[in-house]
Amino acid sequence: MSDRRTEIVRAATRVIARRGVRGLRVGELAAEAGVSTSLIYYHFTDRAGILRETLEFIGERADRYTAEPARTGAADDPGGELERTLLLELQDTAEVRENSTAWGELRASAVFESSLREDLARATHTWVHEIAELLGRAHPAGTAPAHAASAERLTALLEGLSVRWLSGSLPLDHARTLLGEAIAAERASHRSSID
Amino acid sequence: MSDRRTEIVRAATRVIARRGVRGLRVGELAAEAGVSTSLIYYHFTDRAGILRETLEFIGERADRYTAEPARTGAADDPGGELERTLLLELQDTAEVRENSTAWGELRASAVFESSLREDLARATHTWVHEIAELLGRAHPAGTAPAHAASAERLTALLEGLSVRWLSGSLPLDHARTLLGEAIAAERASHRSSID
DNA sequence: GTCTATAGGACGATAGAC
DNA sequence: GTCTATCGTCCTATAGAC
């Protein structure tokens, strides 16, 4: 992928985070990327193509974003790493807000655009898998299916809390508390009596 | 509110469930309601007004929809009622799909339209309160704040699972299983040792 | 209150020069 | 590869008859 294409896709991510998928105008995207409208169409077939690649990019970036701390983090404390990784996504910084907002838009858009579903399901699966792995390392006593189920619940809960936060139904610190308690409960469920 | 207005708002709910908020066209809404485009504008100021009232209607209907079983249901089995009420929203029927889809669109739209946030937060609060009440009746040993926190987690998880289902990232029966397990775990957390 | 017809504008997309 | 200029269409919203 050429640098320009990447630039445009990154600009589109910012515009989507700011205005939503429904609010993305090719003209505004051009302005955000600092290029002309027609250059957008030189690099992409049409608006749907821009959206497709941008949402794919958001999905891929979410993969990396999630996977990285799991690899570089303290391998000797997977439990703490799990908690940090999940709570990382409930923070009021520009980057996290952009990621969460864009991811939420990707999710919401996929309800009506089946072409997005495959990428989205794959990114979701990767994320769940990462979390399940952390759980497995933190609590070897539990079974793999139980770790997977916990990871699915925790990530789905995180998505639910995140959109409640972003839509003004839940204060951020409260969302963090609720998620923290859920993590503790799921972890406890994997502790055998001999832990 | 006149009958016509109500008809149009109901039609708008169906169109939103089918096409999303971003996909709602006033012309299509008119066709769905069986009236002319201009009649829509006779009853509503503009497209944003249609959306505002429709999303408000969705929020109000969600209140009733949730609250009704809690009032009419078997008062002697609040625990079972809780489980039934929550699992009710993970069903592949036309009505539940429409409700869940429309509610998800309301939630997603509110991220970018602050005017929707107040209604949404109120409807969310009402829903959480209903669930907390059921928990309180099922497990009097628990404290009210603990019931509230459980209700917030369960409803946020349900929203997260629901949108994963609708966006094709999670099979429905799996979503139901995950929610059922979470309900059981939250209930267990409110059981004192003397239960 | 409800319709037909259409104005007006926003926005996606293209033509063509450089 | 990138721009300026513009076309065509879709869609919101209104005018005006009944």
Side-chain angles (χ1 to χ4, degrees):
Chain A
M1 188 143 85
S2 77
D3 283 358
R4 260 295 193 252
R5 280 177 79 87
T6 308
E7 274 174 43
I8 293 170
V9 164
R10 285 179 181 278
T13 304
R14 292 194 298 276
V15 175
I16 287 174
R18 200 164 59 229
R19 305 259 186 245
V21 166
R22 78 201 76 198
L24 184 142
R25 299 285 166 259
V26 180
E28 185 178 356
L29 168 57
E32 175 76 27
V35 300
S36 68
T37 299
S38 64
L39 188 62
I40 306 281
Y41 287 97
Y42 174 79
H43 286 290
F44 302 86
T45 57
D46 57 8
R47 186 179 180 279
I50 301 165
L51 242 39
R52 223 197 70 260
E53 292 201 29
T54 304
L55 296 177
E56 186 178 349
F57 169 76
I58 291 167
E60 282 168 6
R61 190 177 65 170
D63 282 1
R64 293 196 301 277
Y65 183 75
T66 301
E68 192 165 347
R71 278 193 298 269
T72 62
D76 54 338
D77 181 18
E81 193 57 40
L82 170 77
E83 193 146 350
R84 243 175 304 137
T85 300
L86 291 175
L87 285 172
L88 200 71
E89 321 237 359
L90 288 177
Q91 279 188 116
D92 199 359
T93 67
E95 192 195 357
V96 170
R97 257 187 184 272
E98 185 186 302
N99 276 336
S100 295
T101 305
W103 177 260
E105 279 292 285
L106 169 56
R107 178 73 71 195
S109 301
V111 174
F112 302 100
E113 268 189 77
S114 53
S115 64
L116 298 174
R117 292 186 186 178
E118 198 180 335
D119 280 341
L120 180 66
R122 196 171 29 69
T124 303
H125 180 264
T126 303
W127 183 27
V128 168
H129 190 74
E130 291 284 344
I131 298 301
E133 208 164 65
L134 275 175
L135 271 165
R137 283 198 275 139
H139 304 285
T143 68
H147 292 142
S150 284
E152 283 176 310
R153 275 191 295 272
L154 287 175
T155 54
L157 173 63
L158 175 47
E159 286 188 2
L161 292 172
S162 181
V163 69
R164 282 197 185 181
W165 160 44
L166 294 169
S167 64
S169 288
L170 188 66
L172 181 60
D173 61 338
H174 194 174
R176 290 177 62 88
T177 302
L178 291 170
L179 180 61
E181 290 166 353
I183 295 170
E186 292 285 357
R187 291 186 64 182
S189 77
H190 299 294
R191 275 187 200 109
S192 76
S193 51
I194 57 161
D195 256 20
Chain B
M1 187 141 86
S2 78
D3 283 358
R4 259 295 195 257
R5 281 177 78 88
T6 307
E7 276 173 41
I8 293 170
V9 164
R10 286 180 181 279
T13 303
R14 292 194 298 276
V15 175
I16 287 174
R18 199 164 59 230
R19 307 259 187 243
V21 166
R22 76 199 76 197
L24 183 142
R25 299 285 165 260
V26 180
E28 185 177 356
L29 168 57
E32 175 76 28
V35 300
S36 69
T37 299
S38 64
L39 189 62
I40 306 282
Y41 287 97
Y42 174 80
H43 287 291
F44 301 85
T45 57
D46 57 8
R47 186 180 180 278
I50 302 165
L51 242 38
R52 223 196 71 260
E53 292 201 30
T54 304
L55 296 177
E56 185 179 349
F57 168 76
I58 291 167
E60 283 168 5
R61 191 177 63 171
D63 282 1
R64 294 197 301 277
Y65 183 76
T66 301
E68 192 164 347
R71 279 193 298 269
T72 63
D76 54 339
D77 181 18
E81 194 57 40
L82 169 77
E83 193 146 349
R84 243 175 304 136
T85 300
L86 291 176
L87 285 172
L88 200 71
E89 320 237 0
L90 288 177
Q91 279 188 115
D92 199 0
T93 68
E95 192 195 357
V96 170
R97 254 186 186 272
E98 185 187 303
N99 276 335
S100 296
T101 305
W103 178 259
E105 279 291 284
L106 168 55
R107 177 74 71 196
S109 300
V111 174
F112 303 100
E113 267 189 78
S114 52
S115 64
L116 298 174
R117 292 186 186 177
E118 197 180 336
D119 281 341
L120 180 67
R122 196 170 30 70
T124 303
H125 180 264
T126 302
W127 183 27
V128 169
H129 189 74
E130 292 284 344
I131 299 300
E133 209 164 64
L134 275 176
L135 271 165
R137 283 197 275 140
H139 303 285
T143 67
H147 292 143
S150 285
E152 283 177 309
R153 274 191 296 272
L154 287 174
T155 55
L157 174 62
L158 175 47
E159 286 187 2
L161 292 173
S162 181
V163 69
R164 282 197 185 181
W165 160 45
L166 294 169
S167 63
S169 288
L170 188 66
L172 181 60
D173 60 339
H174 194 175
R176 289 176 63 87
T177 302
L178 291 169
L179 181 60
E181 289 166 355
I183 295 169
E186 292 285 357
R187 290 186 64 182
S189 77
H190 299 294
R191 273 185 202 111
S192 77
S193 51
I194 57 161
D195 254 22

